[in-house]
Amino acid sequence: MKNENHLAPSAQEEIDLTPYDAWYVKKDLKEGEKPVFLTFDCGYENGYTAGMLDVLKKHNAPAAFFLCKHFIKDQPELVKRMKEEGHIVGNHTSNHICMPETDERTIREEIADNASYMKEATGYEMDHFFRPPKGEYSERTLQITKDMGYTTVFWSLAYPDYDVNNQPGADYVVEQFEKYIHPGAIPLIHNVSQSNAEALDTVLTNLEKEGYTFHSLKELSQAKNS
């Protein structure tokens, strides 16, 4: 549930994500801390990802890219660049399956096949971070991904950016971040969006002006381990 007070939103609080090493926001922050964990979902390439990587490099901003197999197969050089520039490349299943409707064997195969293919196609290991397609999950599926050694990452800020034929515009994206950003945020950004591509530099510049800093999802695992 979004709020305009720059506080962490609520999300199905009847389910405790902690035992499953699953996150949608980082809450336990020290006074004055304003971290942001940028995440991108990549089902396919639409011509914008290289430019987004340029912007991230300009701002020295680490990010996480959650990839399906089609993206890796189609854009191995982009995937290599993500890794070489210090970003996390996470697992989004091979075929963007619905997790709660899928049996355990198939879930494991989808995740393992995607990771194996990335190593084969790029020479790089896939990082052990997982984003369920469409954010669909159950406690059963959370346990499966945890058992496979993955940290599950949802999001605490999102907006309708995924329909390439109905883009909201760059100003809308900038406004969404201005209204709803909060310390510990995990924004969901789709790489296929022209609006995101046009807005990203302004979004990151504005966040820096407001005292936000960009962090890697690896810090969530470190927080878990501590």
Side-chain angles (χ1 to χ4, degrees):
M1 299 295 293
K2 290 181 178 179
N3 66 71
E4 296 184 16
N5 299 317
H6 302 292
L7 301 174
S10 60
Q12 291 193 313
E13 293 179 349
E14 69 275 11
I15 296 176
D16 182 7
L17 297 178
T18 307
Y20 304 105
D21 189 19
W23 304 75
Y24 77 95
V25 68
K26 185 175 182 182
K27 287 185 176 180
D28 296 328
L29 302 173
K30 297 177 183 177
E31 185 174 352
E33 282 187 318
K34 300 174 78 173
V36 175
F37 303 87
L38 299 169
T39 68
F40 295 78
D41 281 10
C42 306
Y44 62 96
E45 176 55 21
N46 199 30
Y48 304 121
T49 308
M52 291 176 171
L53 285 166
D54 291 341
V55 173
L56 293 171
K57 188 173 185 179
K58 172 184 174 181
H59 291 269
N60 195 27
F65 293 84
F66 291 96
L67 309 185
C68 291
K69 187 175 182 177
H70 174 80
F71 187 93
I72 302 168
K73 185 179 293 187
D74 189 51
Q75 299 291 333
E77 295 305 314
L78 271 180
V79 179
K80 291 177 186 177
R81 181 182 171 189
M82 292 169 185
K83 292 291 291 185
E84 289 163 1
E85 295 185 358
H87 302 297
I88 283 172
V89 175
N91 205 317
H92 202 40
T93 73
S94 282
N95 297 294
H96 209 260
I97 61 171
C98 174
M99 295 288 285
E101 295 179 0
T102 304
D103 63 87
E104 179 173 352
R105 178 178 177 179
T106 304
I107 287 173
R108 288 178 173 272
E109 288 175 349
E110 280 276 330
I111 294 171
D113 175 66
N114 201 30
S116 175
Y117 183 77
M118 176 169 163
K119 175 68 173 176
E120 174 188 333
T122 70
Y124 287 99
E125 299 284 350
M126 182 168 275
D127 296 292
H128 275 228
F129 291 86
F130 178 74
R131 171 157 285 160
K134 299 183 182 179
E136 296 173 328
Y137 73 99
S138 67
E139 291 188 85
R140 176 184 69 91
T141 66
L142 291 176
Q143 187 64 55
I144 293 169
T145 49
K146 181 188 177 186
D147 290 345
M148 294 183 72
Y150 281 84
T151 295
T152 296
V153 183
F154 296 102
W155 57 85
S156 62
L157 193 163
Y159 45 90
D161 61 343
Y162 44 83
D163 184 349
V164 297
N165 296 313
N166 186 26
Q167 284 292 289
D171 290 344
Y172 176 87
V173 174
V174 171
E175 181 184 22
Q176 289 294 297
F177 275 87
E178 288 177 346
K179 281 186 175 181
Y180 301 118
I181 195 63
H182 50 274
I186 303 177
L188 165 58
I189 305 166
H190 281 91
N191 70 308
V192 296
S193 165
Q194 179 181 352
S195 301
N196 286 336
E198 293 172 352
L200 187 60
D201 189 24
T202 301
V203 165
L204 300 192
T205 298
N206 290 349
L207 289 175
E208 289 168 331
K209 289 178 181 178
E210 293 297 322
Y212 286 91
T213 52
F214 307 118
H215 296 256
S216 170
L217 289 179
K218 292 178 182 177
E219 294 185 19
L220 297 183
S221 288
Q222 290 169 359
K224 169 199 68 173
N225 293 332
S226 64

